[in-house]
Every structure is written in C-alpha cells, then in structure tokens.
Amino acid sequence: MFARHLLAFAALLQIGTVTLAHLAAWHDGMYCRNGTSGTDEANDYTVVKPLYQLPKKDWWLHGLDGCTKFPPAPGKFLELPAGKEFAVEIASNRGKTSLSFNGRFASNWPDGNNYPEDYNVPSCIASPNLHAQNNSQAAGTAFAISYQSDIERVTPENLVVFSVKYHTPWKRVTTYSVPAALPACPEGGCHCAWAWIPNGCGQPNMYQQAFRCKVTGATSTSPVAPGKPPVWCEDDPSKCTTGAKQMLYWNQQDGNNIWVQGLDKSGSPKSPAYNSKCGFFEGAQNDIFSTAPGKERRCAAKRKRGSAGRRVS
Ligand SMILES: *[C@@H]1O[C@H](CO)[C@@H](O)[C@H](O)[C@H]1NC(C)=O
Ligand SMILES: *[C@@H]1O[C@H](CO)[C@@H](O)[C@H](O)[C@H]1NC(C)=O
C-alpha cells in the first residue's frame, strides 16, 4: 500500500516537472477518468491534451486517444439539477483533484499549487496553463448536452450548449448553472461535453471531452432544439446566433463550424470563445428549447379542457 503510494507520488512529481500541463474537467461521470490503459491511473492526464488541426474523428469528444471507448463506471453520471448548479474540477492531472489520493494533492488551483487571487502574468500564465494573463482574460468554458444515450449518436447538431461560465478556466472547483427547463434524459441517460477555447496565449487550440450525464428534478418536457453554429458577433450583437447553439469547432482539419479573420475590438487576433463575442451569455442558456407547438402545449390544453369539464359536471 505504502509502496504503491510512493510510486504514485514519484509519478506525480515527474509529471509536474516534465510536461507543460493543459486542462480538463474532472468528475466521476467523465469518459477517460482512469486513462486508457485499462487499469486505474491515479495520475492520468490523457484527456487534457489540446485539440489542434486534427481530423474530426480524432478531435470529436477527444477520440484521438480512444477516450470515447472508456466510459465512466456503471451508474456514474454527471448530475445536472434543473434550475440549480453542479460542480466539476478543472485540473491538469487527475492526481490534482479529489478523484485521486483523497484529494491530498489538490489545491484551489488546477495544478495543485497556490497563487495570489490577483494572479497576473503579462506574458501569459503558464503554470497552471490557463492560456490567459489574468482572470479577466480567461476566455470562458461551456457544457453542452445531447439527449442520446449512445455516444455514437451524439452529433454537433444534437449537442447543445446549456451552460457557460465566463472568465474560466481559473480555479479548480468550477460551478455551472443548469436551465430550470432542461427536460429529463432518456432511460440510459444523456451525454454531455465540456469545452474551452482559450483567448490567445499559445497555440490557438480547443478542448472537448465527454461525460455521461442526466438531469435531476426536471419539470419541463419541451425538448432542446437542434443547435445552430455560433458566429463571431462582437462587432454587431444583432448578428449573433440566437437560441440553441452548437459548441464551437475551430482550427481543425475538418468539421469546423466557425471561421474568423482579423482582429477583435481589443486589437488581438480574433479567437472564438464561450463568451459574448460569439453570442453566448453567462450562465444557464434558457433560450435553447423548442418553441414549435409541441406535445406539452397540446397536453396542457387537454388538461385545461378536462378540468373545466369536471367543474361543470
Ligand atoms: C476506475 O478505477 C476505479 C478504481 O479506482 C474503479 O472503481 C472504477 O470502476 C474505474 N472506472 C472505470 C470506468 O473503469
Ligand atoms: C489583465 O491582462 C490584460 C492583458 O495583458 C491587461 O490589459 C489587464 O490590465 C490585466 N488586468 C489586471 C487586473 O491585471
């Protein structure tokens, strides 16, 4: 037992010194939690690998290292409480989260170390690799949901962004708000994805990874509408895509859904992100539901007629 911990600790030290760590969102409901070796890797960091100029089969849900073939353990889901919040741990390595070593190597920050609240590095913060100079420059991250229980049936159109957190990634524990009207998932659960596109500070890459998830306490039954691609609309908010939006797919060999050129308002090269520049408002995305006259409305009308009928009789 002790020897095993020592070994794990040695591995942790090595990782800390030799690799420039990137970031992922950790939770028992995630794919690739234990790595891809088939045994439980307490210091795994497969899923933090950035995605850049890859074919879609490789970048989609972090397929490149086989992560989509390593689902969470049976019964493990990222639970999304309708109208409330859920938390994940953003970190460079599972060893720096509460999922490993009883959280012994976790700090308030994604890499297990400590930094000032007003951490600011004008040449970009590299430890942890936040791809930002300071909190105000952190681009934003998002969660999306697909009402498909089979990960092979998740598509860019049915994977819709339902929550955005501005100025993240930043600290380890990060919370996201769930729309109150998010409907329940099918029997086998839903699939969710976490994603991030940094605002400069290094390779213009993106991050995407999969989770098994389910909505708890759902009361609404209006379905989530198919997602449309977001567009760059910093210069003219009236151009923003409204309603249900896809995640951002950028700078890959194929499968991209956004293209930008030139400079943003601050004079930096445009970098699509989960913030107002691409029409994403902060928090729960409450405008993603199908407004087509649906089942629910017809049922409500029927119920009304029914109760009126009872009153007369
Ligand atoms: C990951 O490893 C843990 C043991 O630490 C085990 O309980 C769990 O079932 C494993 N998860 C998967 C998906 O294999
Ligand atoms: C954050 O970084 C940006 C870009 O370097 C800089 O303009 C801004 O003043 C910084 N803000 C703080 C609070 O340090």
Side-chain angles (χ1 to χ4, degrees):
M1 190 72 180
F2 181 64
R4 209 179 66 199
H5 279 160
L6 255 187
L7 256 174
F9 186 58
L12 200 72
L13 285 180
Q14 201 189 359
I15 283 158
T17 52
V18 299
T19 66
L20 190 58
H22 295 273
L23 302 173
W26 302 85
H27 184 279
D28 278 338
M30 72 193 290
Y31 278 69
C32 232
R33 177 195 185 277
N34 292 0
T36 54
S37 68
T39 57
D40 184 20
E41 303 283 348
N43 282 310
D44 193 72
Y45 61 106
T46 308
V47 78
V48 309
K49 189 174 179 179
L51 308 166
Y52 183 64
Q53 293 301 345
L54 296 170
K56 186 178 173 214
K57 68 171 177 41
D58 287 347
W59 63 256
W60 177 248
L61 300 175
H62 224 274
L64 73 159
D65 21 42
C67 278
T68 50
K69 304 274 188 275
F70 290 86
K76 298 288 185 194
F77 290 86
L78 178 66
E79 291 197 2
L80 315 175
K84 303 198 175 91
E85 297 191 326
F86 66 98
V88 293
E89 297 175 55
I90 295 179
S92 53
N93 183 306
R94 206 186 96 197
K96 313 289 178 144
T97 74
S98 69
L99 275 57
S100 294
F101 313 114
N102 290 320
R104 208 166 347 144
F105 303 108
S107 73
N108 287 339
W109 295 81
D111 66 353
N113 296 320
N114 290 297
Y115 303 95
E117 283 301 311
D118 59 353
Y119 196 18
N120 180 46
V121 179
S123 59
C124 297
I125 296 172
S127 309
N129 203 352
L130 293 164
H131 279 269
Q133 294 84 357
N134 53 52
N135 184 241
S136 76
Q137 301 296 302
T141 58
F143 265 94
I145 189 165
S146 166
Y147 281 77
Q148 295 293 335
S149 306
D150 176 357
I151 194 167
E152 298 298 331
R153 302 184 75 134
V154 179
T155 65
E157 292 74 27
N158 66 32
L159 183 62
V160 169
V161 175
F162 70 89
S163 194
V164 168
K165 189 84 175 210
Y166 281 10
H167 305 300
T168 61
W170 190 245
K171 296 284 188 75
R172 175 177 58 93
V173 177
T174 306
T175 57
Y176 295 83
S177 301
V178 182
L182 209 57
C185 292
E187 189 64 26
C190 290
H191 276 91
C192 283
W194 178 83
W196 167 38
I197 297 182
N199 182 23
C201 275
Q203 188 186 63
N205 50 35
M206 68 172 200
Y207 298 76
Q208 192 198 30
Q209 63 178 111
F211 295 76
R212 253 198 207 127
C213 59
K214 64 177 172 196
V215 181
T216 59
T219 54
S220 175
T221 55
S222 291
V224 171
K228 287 174 285 180
V231 295
W232 181 272
C233 58
E234 186 193 29
D235 37 336
D236 180 359
S238 74
K239 279 196 261 168
C240 295
T241 302
T242 57
K245 286 184 272 302
Q246 300 176 11
M247 297 195 114
L248 293 158
Y249 304 124
W250 187 52
N251 272 351
Q252 307 303 320
Q253 280 175 25
D254 59 287
N256 294 318
N257 66 0
I258 190 160
W259 298 263
V260 291
Q261 49 183 317
L263 305 180
D264 67 13
K265 278 188 172 169
S266 77
S268 305
K270 283 181 186 168
S271 181
Y274 297 98
N275 58 39
S276 60
K277 293 176 192 173
C278 289
F280 289 100
F281 43 86
E282 163 116 92
Q285 311 287 297
N286 292 312
D287 61 349
I288 61 176
F289 304 101
S290 179
T291 50
K295 241 190 206 158
E296 196 187 36
R297 250 182 237 177
R298 282 201 302 273
C299 289
K302 233 182 250 166
R303 268 199 304 277
K304 229 183 233 163
R305 279 200 300 275
S307 53
R310 269 198 303 280
R311 265 204 305 275
V312 214
S313 65

